[in-house]
């Protein structure tokens, strides 16, 4: 079993589609083994997205991710990283696959409803950023 990290972004929580996203994750076959709601500070968001700090859209990214509460999760399954990325769809909702979470619930590339780790190594770093071992079901 592989683990991946998922974040339901503020726009999805504010638009009250977080329940639909959670249902889609479960119906897709990924198991939620940890979950909580929190609001990131700007400092925490800069740390989480440090890899993007040189990008032109960095400030906008930090403003969006701190605009309201997020739901963070650890998902488990065979090939969970790639499986969740295919459920999420492409970063831009306009070009995301039909039926994908970003197509269904994303508003724009900045407000694309969900985040998922891009590889297993990133997943472990992102999981450790938000969860301690006691909070994750084995
Ligand atoms: P992801 O792994 O599919 O989430 O995509 P990236 O790691 O490349 O980007 C992280 C996040 O930055 C994306 O989910 C978007 O919210 C945002 N983002 C990516 N590209 C752009 C862009 O060109 N403009 C803006 N404003 N935001 C972007």
């Amino acid at each position: 079993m592989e683990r991946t990290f998922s974040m339901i972004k503020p726009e999805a929580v504010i638009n009250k589609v977080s329940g639909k996203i959670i249902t889609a994750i479960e119906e897709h076959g990924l198991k939620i083994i940890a979950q909580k709601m929190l609001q990131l500070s700007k400092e925490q968001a800069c740390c989480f997205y440090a890899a993007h700090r040189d990008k032109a859209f960095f400030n906008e990214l930090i403003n969006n991710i701190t605009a309201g509460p997020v739901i963070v999760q650890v998902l488990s399954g065979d090939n969970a990283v790639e499986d969740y990325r295919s459920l999420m769809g492409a970063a831009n909702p306009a070009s995301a696959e039909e039926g994908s979470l970003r197509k269904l619930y994303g508003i724009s590339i900045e407000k694309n409803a969900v985040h998922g780790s891009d590889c297993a190594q990133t997943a472990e770093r992102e999981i450790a950023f938000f969860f301690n071992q006691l909070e994750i079901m084995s």
Side-chain angles (χ1 to χ4, degrees):
M1 283 293 155
E2 186 175 65
R3 305 194 304 181
T4 192
F5 173 77
S6 155
M7 184 190 292
I8 302 175
K9 296 185 178 183
E11 58 274 11
V13 175
I14 289 164
N15 291 335
K16 300 184 178 155
V17 293
S18 56
K20 288 182 177 162
I21 292 172
I22 291 168
T23 298
I25 290 169
E26 291 185 323
E27 287 182 346
H28 189 73
L30 285 158
K31 192 170 176 188
I32 299 167
I33 58 169
Q35 178 168 273
K36 60 188 171 188
M37 180 183 269
L38 54 92
Q39 185 156 0
L40 284 165
S41 67
K42 300 248 177 198
E43 259 187 353
Q44 290 165 332
C46 288
C47 190
F48 181 73
Y49 276 126
H52 293 298
R53 67 178 163 262
D54 295 329
K55 305 260 172 70
F57 58 82
F58 184 67
N59 284 342
E60 196 179 358
L61 180 60
I62 299 306
N63 286 338
N64 281 327
I65 210 73
T66 57
V70 297
I71 295 170
V72 290
Q73 304 170 308
V74 182
L75 308 179
S76 166
D78 288 334
N79 205 18
V81 170
E82 277 314 309
D83 195 22
Y84 187 48
R85 284 187 77 84
S86 93
L87 178 63
M88 289 195 305
N92 190 344
S95 50
E97 300 68 19
E98 287 301 326
S100 65
L101 296 177
R102 283 166 165 172
K103 185 67 161 192
L104 288 168
Y105 306 116
I107 298 161
S108 60
I109 189 159
E110 307 84 13
K111 297 188 176 182
N112 58 5
V114 283
H115 163 83
S117 309
D118 61 3
C119 69
Q121 197 183 352
T122 308
E124 290 308 314
R125 182 184 69 76
E126 293 180 341
I127 290 168
F129 187 92
F130 284 99
F131 293 96
N132 67 47
Q133 283 198 12
L134 286 174
E135 295 172 311
I136 305 173
M137 303 304 108
S138 53

